[in-house]
C-alpha cells in the first residue's frame, strides 16, 4: 500500500515502482515494507517552479469536444507561475492559513510563463486564463505582463495581487488582459488592517478600488472582521463613509473570520483564539472523535472575537447597501479642455444628482489627493503650488469634501473618490434598490445644480 508523496518525491516514487525497488530514499513517503509501516523523513526542499512542466490538457480537451453539453461549457485554462507568498515571508497575515509550511516564494521566469500561456492558447483556442498563484510575482510587471500586453491575444486573465499596486501597475495588468483581480483588500479600517499585519492603509485600499474602476478591472474582495483587539469605534467612521463608496466595487459581503490551520492566529493562541474546536461542518463528513478530527481539519470554530451586536449588524447592512446600489452609481471627474476647473458629476445611489465645480486650490487639492495624502503633506504640496490656503481653510474644506463624499478619511490620510471616466459594466442600466431606473452614464443633466 502506497501513501501520497509530494514535490520531487512523486517522480522518485514512480521510478521505484517501475524498477520494483523499495522507496526507502523517497523523502516524506509513508509506505508498507511488508507488514511494517515506514515513514521516511520529510525533505524541507520546495519544488522550483522552473522544474514544473507546462500543464497538458489534451485529454481534457478530448473529453470536452466529445461532450454532448460542450456548447454550454465555458472552459478556462489554469496556469501557475508562482508558489508561496513574498509578503507572507516577511509579514504573515494573521488570519491566513494558505501555503502551510511552504511559505517561501518562488516563481517561474516571466518569459517561461508567457511561452506556456501562448502555447496553451494556440493549442486549445481558449482566451480565458486563471492563474492559481497566491500572489503575483512583482517581476512579472517587467517581463510576463509586457509580453502579454504586446501579444495579439485578447486574453481575459485572473490574478491575485496585493492591494498596494500603483495606478501604473494596475493599468499594465489591464493592458495585458487581466480583467479580474483579487487584491486582498479585506478591510478599509486602519486598526483592523494593522491587526491583520496587511501592511496597507484604508486609504490605499480605496485608491486600489478607484483605480480598478479607472482601468475596467473587476475586483473581488470580502470585508473581514472579528479580529481580537478591534473595537466598535474602529468601525464607526468607515461604516459612516460607506455610502460615499457606492460607485466603487463593493465587497461580496462582510464576514467574520474563521480560525485556519497554519495561520498565525492558529499557531499562537496568545493572539486571541485559545479556545478552538473543529468546525461543525466536518461532523457531517467524518465520524471521528473530536481529538482525532482536530488533527485533520483546516477550519476551526472559536468564540467570537472583536465586534458584535449593533456594530456587526451595521457593517453587514452597509455592505449590502453598497452591493445593491453599486450598479447604478458613478462619481466621475471631468476637466474641460484648456481649463483648470474640475467638475465632479455625482450620480451615486442615495445621493443628490449634482455636479460639483472645483477651482483654484480646491481643484489642486483634489488632484493631489488622488495618490492619498496626510493633511500636512497636502498643505506642503499646496504651498509649493504658490497659493496655499490657511490651516483653518484647509481643515474646513477637508471636512466639507468628506461630508460631500468626494474624499475618504481613514483617520491618517485622505484619498479622492471620483473616477476619471464612466466605468465599463456588464449592464448599461441597472434597477436601483429603490425600484427606480439607474443610469450608468455620468453625463450631467442640463440645468443641474453646481456646487463649489
Amino acid at each position: 500500500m502506497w501513501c501520497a508523496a509530494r514535490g520531487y518525491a512523486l517522480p522518485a516514487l514512480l521510478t521505484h515502482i517501475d524498477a520494483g525497488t523499495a522507496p526507502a530514499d523517497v523523502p516524506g513517503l509513508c509506505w508498507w515494507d511488508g507488514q511494517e509501516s515506514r515513514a521516511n523523513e520529510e525533505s524541507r526542499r520546495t519544488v522550483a517552479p522552473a522544474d514544473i512542466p507546462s500543464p497538458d490538457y489534451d485529454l481534457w480537451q478530448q473529453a470536452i469536444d466529445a461532450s454532448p453539453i460542450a456548447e454550454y461549457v465555458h472552459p478556462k485554462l489554469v496556469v501557475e507561475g508562482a508558489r508561496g507568498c513574498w509578503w507572507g515571508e516577511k509579514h504573515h497575515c494573521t488570519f491566513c492559513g494558505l501555503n502551510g509550511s511552504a511559505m517561501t516564494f518562488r516563481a517561474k521566469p516571466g518569459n517561461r510563463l508567457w511561452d506556456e500561456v501562448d502555447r496553451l492558447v494556440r493549442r486549445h483556442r481558449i482566451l480565458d486564463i486563471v492563474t492559481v498563484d497566491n500572489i503575483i510575482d512583482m517581476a512579472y510587471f517587467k517581463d510576463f505582463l509586457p509580453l502579454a500586453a504586446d501579444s495579439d491575444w485578447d486574453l481575459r486573465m485572473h490574478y491575485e495581487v496585493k492591494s498596494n499596486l500603483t495606478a501604473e501597475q494596475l493599468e499594465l495588468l489591464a493592458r495585458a488582459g487581466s480583467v479580474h483581480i483579487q487584491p486582498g483588500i479585506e478591510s478599509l479600517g486602519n486598526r483592523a488592517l494593522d491587526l491583520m499585519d496587511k501592511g496597507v492603509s484604508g486609504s490605499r485600499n480605496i485608491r486600489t478600488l478607484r483605480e480598478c474602476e479607472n482601468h475596467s478591472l473587476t475586483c473581488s474582495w470580502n470585508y473581514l472582521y472579528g479580529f481580537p483587539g478591534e473595537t466598535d469605534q474602529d468601525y464607526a467612521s468607515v461604516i459612516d463613509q460607506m455610502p460615499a463608496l457606492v460607485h466603487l466595487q463593493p465587497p461580496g459581503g462582510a464576514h467574520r473570520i474563521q480560525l485556519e490551520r497554519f495561520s498565525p492566529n492558529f499557531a499562537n493562541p496568545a493572539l486571541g483564539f485559545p479556545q478552538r474546536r473543529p468546525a461543525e461542518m466536518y461532523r457531517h463528513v467524518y465520524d471521528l472523535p473530536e481529538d482525532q478530527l482536530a488533527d485533520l481539519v483546516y477550519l476551526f470554530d472559536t468564540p467570537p472575537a472583536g465586534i458584535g451586536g449593533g456594530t456587526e449588524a451595521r457593517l453587514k447592512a452597509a455592505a449590502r447597501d453598497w452591493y445593491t446600489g453599486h450598479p447604478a452609481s458613478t462619481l466621475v471627474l471631468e476637466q474641460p479642455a484648456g481649463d483648470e476647473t474640475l467638475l465632479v458629476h455625482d450620480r451615486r445611489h442615495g445621493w443628490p444628482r449634482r455636479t460639483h465645480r472645483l477651482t483654484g486650490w480646491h481643484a489642486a487639492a483634489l488632484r493631489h489627493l488622488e495618490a492619498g495624502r496626510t493633511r500636512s503633506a497636502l498643505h506642503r504640496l499646496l504651498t509649493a503650488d504658490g497659493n496655499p490656503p490657511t490651516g483653518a481653510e484647509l481643515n474646513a474644506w477637508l471636512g466639507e469634501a468628506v461630508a460631500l463624499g468626494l474624499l475618504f478619511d481613514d483617520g491618517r490620510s485622505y484619498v479622492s473618490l471620483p473616477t476619471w471616466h464612466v466605468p465599463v459594466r456588464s449592464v448599461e442600466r441597472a434597477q436601483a434598490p429603490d425600484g427606480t431606473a439607474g443610469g450608468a452614464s455620468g453625463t450631467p443633466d442640463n440645468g443641474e445644480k453646481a456646487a463649489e
Side-chain angles (χ1 to χ4, degrees):
M1 174 179 173
W2 305 93
C3 294
R6 67 178 187 174
Y8 295 108
L10 182 57
L13 172 61
L14 295 177
T15 299
H16 279 291
I17 293 175
D18 187 55
T21 55
D25 61 344
V26 179
L29 183 70
C30 301
W31 57 291
W32 287 104
D33 184 6
Q35 296 298 313
E36 185 177 356
S37 175
R38 296 187 180 274
N40 297 344
E41 183 177 354
E42 186 172 356
S43 172
R44 305 301 298 176
R45 182 186 180 191
T46 58
V47 178
D51 291 343
I52 301 174
S54 177
D56 184 342
Y57 293 129
D58 286 358
L59 292 178
W60 164 81
Q61 184 71 63
Q62 292 174 22
I64 287 288
D65 292 342
S67 172
I69 60 170
E71 62 179 304
Y72 303 105
V73 176
H74 301 283
K76 296 176 175 59
L77 295 172
V78 179
V79 299
E80 179 183 51
R83 293 181 178 180
C85 180
W86 51 260
W87 176 255
E89 286 187 272
K90 299 176 290 185
H91 299 276
H92 192 171
C93 296
T94 57
F95 65 91
C96 179
L98 297 178
N99 300 298
S101 59
M103 182 67 72
T104 303
F105 186 75
R106 57 270 191 212
K108 293 179 181 177
N111 57 352
R112 158 78 183 276
L113 179 60
W114 171 247
D115 288 344
E116 289 186 10
V117 170
D118 183 67
R119 183 189 67 81
L120 289 170
V121 168
R122 292 177 184 275
R123 187 170 186 82
H124 300 285
R125 300 193 177 278
I126 294 174
L127 294 168
D128 290 280
I129 307 292
V130 177
T131 63
V132 295
D133 309 10
N134 287 161
I135 191 168
I136 192 172
D137 183 359
M138 296 303 288
Y140 288 170
F141 286 95
K142 296 181 179 179
D143 43 38
F144 171 69
L145 292 174
L147 288 171
D150 293 341
S151 73
D152 293 330
W153 301 121
D154 186 17
L155 298 175
R156 295 182 293 272
M157 288 194 295
H158 160 85
Y159 245 114
E160 292 195 33
V161 302
K162 189 165 171 57
S163 64
N164 64 349
L165 296 183
T166 66
E168 292 75 21
Q169 288 169 330
L170 289 167
E171 186 275 335
L172 177 56
L173 273 168
R175 192 156 48 85
S178 298
V179 296
H180 183 202
I181 64 171
Q182 186 174 333
I185 288 173
E186 264 70 90
S187 179
L188 304 176
N190 287 333
R191 174 61 175 160
L193 289 166
D194 290 346
L195 290 170
M196 297 182 213
D197 207 4
K198 290 293 290 186
V200 293
S201 66
S203 288
R204 189 58 184 261
N205 283 343
I206 291 292
R207 179 176 157 189
T208 297
L209 289 173
R210 188 196 66 214
E211 291 306 311
C212 284
E213 293 292 278
N214 279 336
H215 299 295
S216 299
L217 287 165
T218 297
C219 170
S220 295
W221 66 290
N222 287 307
Y223 206 111
L224 303 182
Y225 67 92
F227 299 92
E230 67 185 15
T231 67
D232 294 341
Q233 188 58 36
D234 296 330
Y235 285 80
S237 177
V238 173
I239 295 173
D240 288 343
Q241 294 182 84
M242 276 189 177
L245 310 177
V246 69
H247 64 296
L248 304 178
Q249 293 180 62
H255 307 284
R256 182 176 295 278
I257 61 168
Q258 280 191 284
L259 184 62
E260 299 181 1
R261 187 185 296 276
F262 308 119
S263 70
N265 282 340
F266 180 85
N268 183 6
L271 291 179
F273 295 98
Q275 302 177 48
R276 72 276 301 269
R277 60 187 301 176
E280 183 65 27
M281 63 181 180
Y282 291 113
R283 299 188 179 280
H284 298 285
V285 182
Y286 301 103
D287 184 17
L288 291 173
E290 185 170 301
D291 59 337
Q292 294 183 30
L293 198 55
D295 290 335
L296 296 176
V297 303
Y298 181 69
L299 297 175
F300 293 80
D301 290 335
T302 63
I307 63 168
T311 299
E312 180 180 20
R314 286 186 64 219
L315 177 64
K316 286 182 171 290
R320 284 195 302 270
D321 291 344
W322 184 354
Y323 188 90
T324 55
H326 171 67
S329 297
T330 59
L331 183 69
V332 179
L333 194 64
E334 177 190 358
Q335 185 168 16
D339 195 340
E340 294 183 358
T341 299
L342 290 180
L343 303 177
V344 182
H345 306 300
D346 193 344
R347 304 294 180 274
R348 289 172 294 183
H349 175 72
W351 291 76
R353 293 173 62 86
R354 56 189 172 183
T355 294
H356 302 278
R357 188 181 306 274
L358 291 87
T359 60
W361 68 261
H362 299 91
L366 192 69
R367 291 302 310 273
H368 285 312
L369 290 177
E370 286 185 296
R373 311 278 182 184
T374 63
R375 180 204 168 280
S376 58
L378 176 61
H379 195 263
R380 287 195 298 270
L381 289 170
L382 293 174
T383 300
D385 290 342
N387 185 25
T390 66
E393 289 172 332
L394 181 57
N395 285 341
W397 180 80
L398 288 170
E400 179 184 6
V402 170
L404 291 172
L406 302 181
L407 302 178
F408 179 84
D409 173 16
D410 72 1
R412 300 174 192 167
S413 60
Y414 299 86
V415 64
S416 63
L417 296 179
T419 63
W420 270 104
H421 57 78
V422 178
V424 176
R425 293 180 182 157
S426 58
V427 180
E428 195 165 322
R429 295 183 65 84
Q431 194 74 9
D434 59 5
T436 61
S441 171
T443 305
D445 295 336
N446 292 331
E448 200 159 42
K449 177 182 177 182
E452 290 291 343

